[in-house]
Structure formats: C-alpha cells, structure tokens
Amino acid sequence: RPYVDAHRHAAVAAKLSKQLDEAVWWRDASIAYWQSINKLPLPEGHAPPAHPFSYYQAIRFENLPGTP
C-alpha cells in the first residue's frame, strides 16, 4: 500500500479478491467432480465442496472464448 496510489491499490485488491473467489470455486468444482467418479471421502481436515457436483454441472457460461 505505501508504494502505490490508492486507486491502483484498490484495483489490484479487487482483482486479487476475484481471483481468490474463482480459485475456491475451481477447487470445489474439481473435488466434487473427482468425488463423483471415485466415491472416496476427503482426507480428515479438508473442507468438502460447497455444493454437490450436480450444482457445478448445471452452470452454463456464456460469452467465453472457447465455449460453444
């Protein structure tokens, strides 16, 4: 913070916050997927996904490069 102006700091902080949210989403979606395949429990001490795999399957992304 002391090395950049407030506007730039806020912009980078917002991008990092979004990146963290997306990382958590990807982690949960990946774990839900693999658990749907192998039916194994998570090791003790690891949080389960926020939603079942069906939730992640139902999500549709629009206007993204590489998606139909």
Side-chain angles (χ1 to χ4, degrees):
R1 187 173 291 211
Y3 303 106
V4 295
D5 61 272
H7 177 74
R8 184 171 307 191
H9 184 274
V12 171
K15 288 179 182 179
L16 289 172
S17 178
K18 182 177 180 178
Q19 185 178 18
L20 177 60
D21 292 344
E22 290 177 353
V24 170
W25 185 93
W26 274 108
R27 178 245 182 228
D28 286 353
S30 297
I31 289 175
Y33 169 76
W34 287 109
Q35 282 190 312
S36 77
I37 301 292
N38 63 30
K39 311 293 186 216
L40 296 174
L42 285 175
E44 190 173 320
H46 292 271
H51 305 283
F53 181 54
S54 58
Y55 168 87
Y56 300 103
Q57 281 183 302
I59 295 173
R60 297 290 177 243
F61 297 100
E62 297 180 14
N63 302 321
L64 292 177
T67 60

